[in-house]
Amino acid sequence: RCSPRRGGAACPPAGQVRAAFLRFFEERHGHRRLPSAPVRPRGDPRLLFVNAGMNQFKPIFLGTVHPRSELAQHRRVVNSQKCVRAGGKHNDLEDVGRDTYHHTFFEMLGNWSFGDYFKEEACSMAWELLTEVYEIPRDRLYVTYFGGDPSLGLSADEECRDVWLHLGVPASHVLPFPLKDNFWEMGDTGPCGPCTEIHYDHVGGGRNAAALVNQGSPDVVEIWNLVFMQYSREAEGNLLPLPQHHVDTGMGLERLVTVLQNKRSNYDTDLFTPILDAIHKGCRAPRYQGLVGDADLGRVNMAYRVVADHVRTLCVCITDGIYPGFSGAELVLRRILRRAVRFCSEVLQAPPGLLASLVPTVVEVLGDAYPELTRNANQIKDIINENEVAFLSALERGRHIIERTVQQMEPSTNFPVEVAWSLYGSLGFPLDLIDLMLEEKGISLDSAAFNELALEDAKRKAGGPQAGQAGNTNTHLDVHSLAQLRSSNVPATDDSPKYAYTLGQHGQYEFSPCQATVLMLYRDQSLQKEVGAGQRCGVILDRTNFYAEQGGQDSDQGYMIRLGQQDVLFPVESVHLCGGYVIHEVTAAETLHAGDQVQLFVDEAQRLACMTNHTATHLLNFALRHVLGDNTEQRGSHVTAERLRFDFDTKGHVTVEQLQQVEQVVQDLIKKNEVVHMAEVPLTLARKVQGLRAADEGYPDPVRIVSLGVPVESVLTCDSEAAMQTSVELCCGTHLLQTGSVEDLAIISERQLVKGISRVIAVTGGQAKQAREVGQCLAMEVDSVSLRMKQRITSIPEMQNLSKEVGQLTKVVASTAMPQWQRKELQTILKALQRTANTAIKKLELQQAEKKAQILLAKYCNQPVIIDTVPADSLSILMKVVNQLCDKSPGSSVLLLSPQASGEVLCACQVSKNCLPTFSAADWAVAVCTQMEGKAGGSPVVAKGSGNAKGMQGALTTALEFAQSKL
């Protein structure tokens, strides 16, 4: 038992509360216990973070789960899910710290039924757990149910109400509420249904607190929500009954522990108190007292809550592969880290490093439930420390920028909104800090203009990868269509023919033909038996040799023809898998009917290119682990016919030598021409393979194993270490039959996406060969420039041309597809050559300036004002002549003009320090250049400008008159 203790007795620790929940559903009610999914969402680009326990089960609710997958076998499930709500629709970030119950990271205890039990069993189990296992007094619990909505034609959920009454809950504690409180929806469309919530009265004492339920009272709080998914909201807004009913429940562990430990604040439970104690030891602030609002002087208690909450979020996110960065979830995490750092330094007066020092305490609190935290503790500390140092440096830079901008501003004007946006977007400078610093200086920021820039930025980003994520209505089957197909006994598509290919005698791949029957057509979210000519639709066949987009590999393309009608092609533009059905996106050339017999033709060149790149991806994965270490984990990949992309964990930048080593390992495997072994095996057996890559993804059962050089049977033997010595992966993709067909692999790009995650892009075969040839050509060009740079060049134009050539080569090397190791080498050489060229030009200009200065010095012999025209190739040389002359004749003020072949006149001047402040170089240059219809600028000592040759004579007169008037 795990009950709340009154009267000061020992409280159940949070770990015991969590364990009791999981054990109750697993042992008493036959639920399968699942581990928490990572907080990085898998396969849902609309989500920044996993923000609810149900996220990983969406394919079941939507009906799109593959019937052979492990997920599809679940009927009753229980788990404790790590959740993050920050950014996006569910954003608690700015509320965290202000009160005692908002969090960015929390744990969601949940139990699910997928077409198994429904309202009666769900309510009964919940009541049994709360009142018998946790021993929460029944008179403190209130339940709500959906009171109906006439506008939607929905009556009150009396079935749910009656279940609660039957369980013995008093009628005064069973309360109806409208749509906004007791009807749960996944999104604007999709599965939804009424819910029932269980609320707890912290005060108790026999009172009736029904009037406080759902009123925002801190005394009466919701602790558990039971959702009954029985409808689907359509795009038009109407509700249709779901073909299968599901139960989705969620109870926040933090709130439950608060109840069971007889506390009024989540931060007073043992999920937080060890962290708060550790914060106190590491800072100069008084101990945490739980104060909020005006009572919290100096926001010290708020700072404690912010830091305690945020460090938990940072630990969990970094462990699950989300690192502070510049877009999406990474950007949100960066803001969370920076918010925590600011409260540490500005409010708690803590030295740098406090945040990272809290990691061991977080691991101590959460490590038993989530052992991955323990394994990654050192990496978490390193990433937090590195980001803290970078932020403190950015704060310092930002302060300097604000100071400089304010000095240059006209009086009584708003702070430039573009500068504020640059500080916020580029340096991550918090907006409230910008406001605060400007307020101290009596300056304001135009908030409306700033918000407009933020809106424009949001719109631009919305047009990026997440645009159009609603999906194509002809290739993504909706939940009702899927149910209709199954109820009509339409079999799932047999797509095993996609693996039916062999190697011919001469090394060419031969793809077996495939004949199929059209089972159903899908258009505008409805199943149809016939589609007219010119219409775009999804075609569902009984079997197919087309590969549907999955596992990071692009779908096949090609065409189909009707049997007996060879001259009419139906082009297949894309192929998708949905709930076991393969949907071919086709524009009908003629009317297409269910029952038509068709022959399928895959674009063999495109398929073979994808096969090559997918096998190369496995080689690359193995090579990276071999060179960088076994801790190198895959974070994502994408295979197309043109290239392959691979994301992986890394502690730092990959060096030139490491890139060369990785390529060499791949080359060796290609030369060995290893056989690519593939076989389907039971998932439970596959998971036992030592050293297996990516075994935590969602796979069908049985699952396909791809092993390079070692037969799958050998890999599966219990004591085999074959998977440690070669590439062995679970993979549904199409692969080459021998590695030699890859021919070559060149990594043409490597960069860090965020701290700790690198992305490489590689090409294979002829493209790799071409990249190497281009690299060799560019290396020869760089060598040529290097040789010329070593020759004794005395002409400034010649050296400037060489410098320009280095600049152009630098651009070409940066943008051309070539081996990345070679690109890095050439960039290092070009950088040094550019420095050499710049130094040589300056040296030659100085020599030329000295000669011209000597001539002028002899001509004017220390006169107080020297005004003349001299030939000079650039303003830089002219300025150097002026500087040299003034150095040799300190009492002289000098202004020189230099007419150019283009008709422009260059102007440079310097005023003797003896003449300041009466005589200003900037004013002198402006007066002279204005006479030539030009512009000038500078300081009181030196200035420069330019104008038109037509006004040069008048400018010389103006120069003399201006100088005489000031001396």
Side-chain angles (χ1 to χ4, degrees), residues 272-533:
F272 288 93
T273 50
I275 304 170
L276 296 169
D277 289 344
I279 294 170
H280 177 64
K281 285 175 188 166
C283 73
R284 302 185 187 94
R287 188 174 287 279
Y288 177 70
Q289 295 173 284
L291 302 173
V292 294
D294 294 340
D296 182 19
L297 297 174
R299 301 194 303 167
V300 170
N301 289 265
M302 178 179 174
Y304 267 101
R305 289 187 289 268
V306 166
V307 174
D309 171 89
H310 288 8
V311 74
R312 284 170 25 117
T313 305
L314 288 163
C315 288
V316 167
C317 286
I318 292 169
T319 292
D320 286 349
I322 301 174
Y323 304 139
F326 296 93
S327 64
E330 284 79 10
L331 177 60
V332 175
L333 196 67
R334 180 179 182 235
R335 287 180 180 152
I336 287 171
L337 185 140
R338 293 184 163 201
R339 188 170 187 251
V341 169
R342 280 188 60 209
F343 274 99
C344 280
S345 60
E346 294 173 16
V347 181
L348 297 176
Q349 303 291 302
L354 171 66
L355 204 56
S357 75
L358 303 174
V359 172
T361 310
V362 175
V363 170
E364 195 180 308
V365 174
L366 297 174
D368 287 345
Y370 309 108
E372 60 271 23
L373 286 169
T374 309
R375 293 193 296 271
N376 290 283
N378 289 334
Q379 184 196 21
I380 297 166
K381 284 196 279 190
D382 290 346
I383 288 174
I384 289 175
N385 274 330
E386 285 166 12
N387 278 273
E388 180 175 13
V389 168
F391 179 48
L392 293 173
S393 163
L395 280 181
E396 199 54 41
R397 280 207 311 280
R399 287 192 176 98
H400 287 315
I401 290 169
I402 289 174
E403 292 286 349
R404 193 169 66 245
T405 307
V406 168
Q407 283 171 11
Q408 293 170 357
M409 280 171 56
E410 297 288 333
S412 309
T413 55
N414 279 335
F415 189 79
V417 73
E418 296 79 11
V419 177
W421 177 254
S422 174
L423 286 168
Y424 176 73
S426 303
L427 287 182
F429 208 84
L431 186 58
D432 61 331
L433 192 57
I434 296 172
D435 282 334
L436 193 66
M437 289 181 70
L438 294 179
E439 193 181 309
E440 288 167 1
K441 298 176 186 302
I443 296 167
S444 60
L445 176 68
D446 186 344
S447 298
F450 185 91
N451 292 337
E452 205 172 304
L453 284 178
L455 198 62
E456 283 171 21
D457 184 63
K459 281 179 186 172
R460 192 178 69 252
K461 284 176 179 167
Q466 295 189 13
Q469 283 296 343
N472 190 313
T473 56
N474 295 328
T475 56
H476 292 75
L477 296 170
D478 66 284
V479 66
H480 303 293
S481 298
L482 280 162
Q484 191 180 331
L485 286 168
R486 288 169 186 148
S487 64
S488 305
N489 294 317
V490 175
T493 310
D494 171 16
D495 63 351
S496 60
K498 69 189 177 190
Y499 299 124
Y501 48 89
T502 55
L503 260 177
Q505 282 186 335
H506 305 293
Q508 81 283 9
Y509 278 82
E510 295 173 354
F511 296 88
S512 302
C514 183
Q515 192 173 312
T517 304
V518 177
L519 299 180
M520 196 65 72
L521 302 163
Y522 186 67
R523 176 173 162 75
D524 295 336
Q525 290 193 300
S526 72
L527 296 170
Q528 299 176 13
K529 296 278 188 181
E530 181 182 305
V531 166

Side-chain angles (χ1 to χ4, degrees), residues 131-154:
T131 60
E132 295 179 23
V133 177
Y134 291 141
E135 294 183 352
I136 296 175
R138 295 167 184 248
D139 63 346
R140 290 195 178 210
L141 297 174
Y142 294 79
V143 295
T144 65
Y145 66 95
F146 178 51
D149 191 305
S151 66
L152 288 171
L154 292 175

Side-chain angles (χ1 to χ4, degrees), residues 712-726:
V712 174
E713 311 84 69
S714 303
V715 168
L716 292 173
T717 56
C718 59
D719 57 346
S720 171
E721 292 190 358
M724 311 288 278
Q725 314 303 326
T726 186

Side-chain angles (χ1 to χ4, degrees), residues 750-813:
E750 183 277 324
R751 65 185 179 91
Q752 280 210 322
L753 291 179
V754 293
K755 190 77 180 170
I757 295 185
S758 272
R759 167 170 291 177
V760 294
I761 292 172
V763 290
T764 58
Q767 281 183 288
K769 186 183 176 187
Q770 187 182 356
R772 293 192 193 285
E773 287 172 357
V774 169
Q776 287 304 313
C777 290
L778 287 171
M780 287 166 68
E781 285 190 48
V782 172
D783 285 344
S784 167
V785 172
S786 295
L787 284 170
R788 281 182 282 151
M789 196 74 80
K790 286 171 185 172
Q791 293 167 2
R792 188 173 174 81
I793 298 172
T794 55
S795 159
I796 291 175
E798 194 179 338
M799 186 52 82
Q800 283 173 331
N801 286 336
L802 205 53
S803 172
K804 198 178 286 182
E805 199 176 328
V806 171
Q808 287 166 345
L809 256 179
T810 301
K811 285 180 185 173
V812 172
V813 166

Side-chain angles (χ1 to χ4, degrees), residues 427 508 697 742 767 797 844 871 907 924:
L427 287 182
Q508 81 283 9
E697 300 282 336
V742 176
Q767 281 183 288
L844 288 170
C907 170
W924 198 13

Side-chain angles (χ1 to χ4, degrees), residues 942-962:
V942 291
K944 56 191 173 183
S946 62
N948 195 304
K950 288 177 187 174
M952 192 171 79
Q953 288 307 317
L956 289 167
T957 306
T958 301
L960 186 59
E961 288 173 354
F962 186 93

Side-chain angles (χ1 to χ4, degrees), residues 136-188:
I136 296 175
R138 295 167 184 248
D139 63 346
R140 290 195 178 210
L141 297 174
Y142 294 79
V143 295
T144 65
Y145 66 95
F146 178 51
D149 191 305
S151 66
L152 288 171
L154 292 175
S155 54
D157 190 359
E158 293 176 357
E159 179 190 356
C160 178
R161 179 199 64 191
D162 293 344
V163 167
W164 287 119
L165 294 173
H166 181 70
L167 287 169
V169 183
S172 60
H173 284 223
V174 183
L175 313 167
F177 280 90
L179 195 81
K180 73 179 181 70
D181 295 306
N182 277 78
F183 196 89
W184 184 90
E185 307 206 38
M186 188 185 287
D188 295 333

